[in-house]
Amino acid sequence: MMKHTTPDFESFVNAITEHKWKVHGVELYADGTLAHSFGDTTEHKYPIYSATKTVLSIASGIACDEGCLDLSQNILKYMPRTYVAELPPAQKEIFGQLSLHRLLTMSVKGFPFRIPPAAESFLRTALACPLRNWQTAEFDYSNIPAYLLGVALSQAIQGDAWNFIDERILKPLGISGAGYERCPDGFFYGASGMKLSVQDLSRIGLLLYNGGTFAGQRIVSADYVKKATAVQQMNREGGYGYFIWKYKDGFSINGKWGQKCYVLPERGLMISILSDIRDSFRDLQLSMEKHLLKEA
């Protein structure tokens, strides 16, 4: 275990105020208990962007635990048959060799970053992507793998992925009123679109911090959490798990404009931040590391 430090939360809040960083709210947990908070942590739901992917990962873990989903299986096994039947032979051959594990680890090269919002069918567009270098497992971040996994989850459970998330994750965590999006095909858009409060995000983080339990209730297996938060695919940021980023001696849940949950079990710390910083989140992160993690 690492030596615990005493976070200087007041100095961090002063820095936020001084620099006028657009931070909605912050929560700091020490040994799993809320120790400090700042701003709006409970009243409003804010966009969490790609942090949505982590929630989808947890839902996929539950489906794996129950034998509905097998990450070693190819993508097409979990796609609607009518869409698969439309695929040209070349696309069917490629996607028939890509596993769900490759989706979760962002290790499929060639997907564009996102599906064009004007696309009439997100699923047909995703399955039509030309993947010329798909054989090599290499980190290549895109929203499309998460979208496809959300579709796969719906097919695996023979139901609706969002309803599954709501019933199996959000309600047990005491989260209500979360926002979410669907694609034109009607599927849960698992890559982005959720809205949560800071406290809601913290509860997602605490679920992972506690190895898949919350308030004594087992929600997802410890084995899946261990795999999801471990480095499954290397990248320039230090590693990536199952829609979860490696961060120092722990891991983090990340959204694009400063939606963060830093989970550091060895230090007994967890820090959730919801912000809307569209130029550079780096200054806020450095301040957080200086004052809360006590790093120079």
Side-chain angles (χ1 to χ4, degrees):
M1 294 289 289
M2 296 186 64
K3 182 179 179 181
H4 288 202
T5 59
T6 302
D8 185 354
F9 195 79
E10 183 178 355
S11 292
F12 180 51
V13 170
N14 288 341
I16 292 172
T17 303
E18 177 184 348
H19 292 282
K20 298 181 180 179
W21 289 319
K22 191 175 179 181
V23 175
H24 302 307
V26 183
E27 287 189 340
L28 184 147
Y29 287 74
D31 296 321
T33 300
L34 181 63
H36 300 282
S37 65
F38 163 76
D40 174 18
T41 61
T42 61
E43 187 173 352
H44 292 99
K45 310 286 186 184
Y46 299 98
I48 63 169
Y49 299 99
S50 285
T52 302
K53 295 178 175 72
T54 303
V55 180
L56 174 60
S57 174
I58 295 168
S60 300
I62 296 171
C64 288
D65 294 339
E66 297 179 354
C68 300
L69 203 63
D70 182 348
L71 301 186
S72 69
Q73 291 294 322
N74 72 77
I75 296 169
L76 295 185
K77 179 178 179 179
Y78 298 102
M79 291 295 108
R81 291 183 181 180
T82 54
Y83 291 79
V84 175
E86 297 172 2
L87 289 178
Q91 286 297 94
K92 190 176 293 187
E93 181 179 356
I94 292 171
F95 279 89
Q97 297 181 65
L98 290 176
S99 68
L100 297 183
H101 173 87
R102 294 280 301 277
L103 296 182
L104 270 164
T105 56
M106 294 288 178
S107 59
V108 180
K109 287 186 64 62
F111 282 120
F113 177 69
R114 63 170 63 88
I115 299 167
E120 292 184 6
S121 170
F122 278 24
L123 186 51
R124 288 187 176 90
T125 302
L127 292 174
C129 289
L131 303 176
R132 297 182 179 87
N133 300 305
W134 60 270
Q135 297 96 332
T136 302
E138 185 176 333
F139 189 77
D140 193 7
Y141 191 85
S142 165
N143 279 346
I144 295 176
Y147 167 68
L148 286 172
L149 184 69
V151 175
L153 177 61
S154 288
Q155 297 302 298
I157 63 172
Q158 298 182 5
D160 182 77
W162 173 254
N163 291 340
F164 186 77
I165 287 169
D166 190 39
E167 290 294 328
R168 303 299 299 276
I169 300 174
L170 302 186
K171 286 182 180 177
L173 297 185
I175 297 172
S176 61
Y180 70 102
E181 292 181 2
R182 294 186 183 274
C183 74
D185 305 78
F187 296 106
F188 168 63
Y189 185 61
S192 186
M194 283 187 68
K195 292 182 179 181
L196 296 176
S197 69
V198 178
Q199 183 184 79
D200 295 339
L201 181 60
S202 291
R203 291 180 178 185
I204 299 294
L206 287 171
L207 175 62
L208 298 172
Y209 178 94
N210 290 317
T213 66
F214 184 83
Q217 179 182 354
R218 170 66 61 188
I219 294 174
V220 63
S221 69
D223 180 65
Y224 183 83
V225 172
K226 184 177 180 180
K227 291 175 182 176
T229 58
V231 175
Q232 298 286 347
Q233 178 66 46
M234 282 304 301
N235 60 12
R236 65 184 182 183
E237 288 81 8
Y240 194 74
Y242 289 158
F243 295 161
I244 296 171
W245 299 80
K246 175 68 176 174
Y247 177 73
K248 298 187 182 294
D249 51 284
F251 53 90
S252 66
I253 302 169
N254 293 3
K256 69 176 179 179
W257 283 322
Q259 299 78 42
K260 302 278 187 176
C261 183
Y262 301 100
V263 185
L264 301 163
E266 292 189 19
R267 308 187 194 202
L269 288 177
M270 195 190 80
I271 301 153
S272 296
I273 303 172
L274 286 185
S275 58
D276 185 13
I277 300 176
R278 304 196 178 198
D279 46 5
S280 174
F281 180 76
R282 183 61 177 162
D283 291 339
L284 177 61
Q285 180 172 307
L286 288 173
S287 180
M288 182 275 296
E289 292 172 346
K290 174 183 177 181
H291 297 299
L292 304 187
L293 303 186
K294 296 293 186 174
E295 295 181 355

